[in-house]
C-alpha cells in the first residue's frame, strides 16, 4: 500500500519558531513528516503540499487545486491534513470533484509541535482508515472516523462526532 499525504495547512502544521514578526504562528514543513518519522511505517508514502493556509483562508481555487492534485496523481489513497474550521466544506467539495479514490481528511486542535497535541492520534486514525477503505471521502478526528456527510461538529467544544 502507498499513501499520499497532502498538506493544506491548518493548526496541525502551525509552528511557533519565534523567527519573524514576534510571536506569530508560521507554516513550515508538514507535521506528517515528523509523525511518520516516529512511526517508521511499513507502507510506502509520499508527502505533498497543496497550500499552507489557515482553513478560514482556503478559497474555492485552493479546493479546486487540491481536487486536481488528487485526480491527476497516480495514487488512489490520500490523507489530507487540514484546518478544523472548514474541513467539512473541503470534504463536501472533494466529494463532488474526486472520482474513485479514497480521501481521508484530518487535522488537530493543537499544533503537532505542542506536546499535548492530538495530531498523531488523528493521523493514526486516518492511516487506519486508509488500510480498511477503498474509496470515498472521510473525516478522521478525535478518535472518530465517518463518511464526510455523516461527521458533525459540536461548535461549543470543537469536537467532532
Amino acid at each position: 500500500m502507498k499513501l499520499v499525504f497532502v498538506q493544506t495547512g491548518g493548526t496541525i502544521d502551525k509552528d511557533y519558531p519565534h523567527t519573524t514578526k514576534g510571536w506569530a504562528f508560521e507554516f513550515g514543513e508538514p507535521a506528517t513528516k515528523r509523525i511518520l518519522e516516529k512511526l517508521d511505517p511499513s507502507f510506502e508514502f509520499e508527502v505533498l503540499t497543496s497550500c499552507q493556509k489557515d482553513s478560514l483562508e482556503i478559497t474555492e481555487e485552493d479546493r479546486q487545486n487540491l481536487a486536481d492534485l488528487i485526480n491527476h496523481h497516480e495514487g488512489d489513497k490520500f490523507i489530507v491534513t487540514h484546518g478544523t474550521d472548514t474541513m467539512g466544506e473541503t470534504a463536501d467539495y472533494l466529494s463532488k470533484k474526486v472520482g474513485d479514490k479514497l480521501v481521508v481528511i484530518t487535522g488537530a486542535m493543537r499544533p503537532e509541535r505542542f506536546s499535548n497535541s492530538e495530531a498523531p492520534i488523528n493521523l493514526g486514525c486516518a492511516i487506519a482508515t486508509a488500510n480498511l477503505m477503498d474509496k470515498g471521502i472521510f473525516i478522521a478526528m478525535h478518535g472518530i472516523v465517518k463518511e464526510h456527510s455523516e461527521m458533525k461538529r459540536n461548535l461549543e467544544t470543537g469536537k467532532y462526532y
Side-chain angles (χ1 to χ4, degrees):
M1 177 178 73
K2 179 178 180 181
L3 297 180
V4 181
F5 295 87
V6 183
Q7 174 192 43
T8 65
T11 297
I12 192 170
D13 284 320
K14 287 182 178 176
D15 197 0
Y16 205 50
H18 305 274
T19 57
T20 61
K21 299 181 183 95
W23 302 96
F25 281 102
E26 298 176 8
F27 291 107
E29 177 182 63
T32 300
K33 287 185 179 181
R34 291 184 297 278
I35 294 169
L36 290 173
E37 284 174 9
K38 293 175 190 170
L39 177 63
D40 189 23
S42 296
F43 55 84
E44 292 182 53
F45 66 91
E46 179 178 4
V47 181
L48 305 172
T49 298
S50 178
C51 63
Q52 293 180 316
K53 293 184 172 185
D54 185 282
S55 71
L56 292 173
E57 297 174 359
I58 289 182
T59 65
E60 201 80 358
E61 182 180 349
D62 295 324
R63 288 186 176 99
Q64 185 59 54
N65 289 339
L66 176 60
D68 289 345
L69 184 154
I70 292 168
N71 283 325
H72 294 115
H73 195 282
E74 70 275 359
D76 58 1
K77 293 190 175 201
F78 296 82
I79 295 175
V80 176
T81 57
H82 196 287
T84 58
D85 285 322
T86 65
M87 67 172 47
E89 288 92 330
T90 297
D92 289 340
Y93 186 91
L94 293 177
S95 73
K96 298 173 185 113
K97 300 285 185 171
V98 173
D100 289 337
K101 296 193 179 204
L102 174 70
V103 179
V104 185
I105 300 176
T106 193
M109 301 299 288
R110 290 173 299 281
E112 176 270 338
R113 292 280 197 185
F114 287 14
S115 63
N116 65 343
S117 176
E118 82 286 15
I121 294 168
N122 290 339
L123 192 69
C125 286
I127 291 168
T129 302
N131 274 279
L132 297 171
M133 305 305 289
D134 291 322
K135 61 182 177 178
I137 310 294
F138 294 84
I139 295 177
M141 286 292 296
H142 302 126
I144 304 282
V145 179
K146 292 185 179 182
E147 287 192 40
H148 78 282
S149 61
E150 300 298 316
M151 186 64 88
K152 307 236 182 298
R153 186 174 190 201
N154 180 325
L155 296 179
E156 289 181 25
T157 65
K159 292 199 177 229
Y160 285 80
Y161 64 96

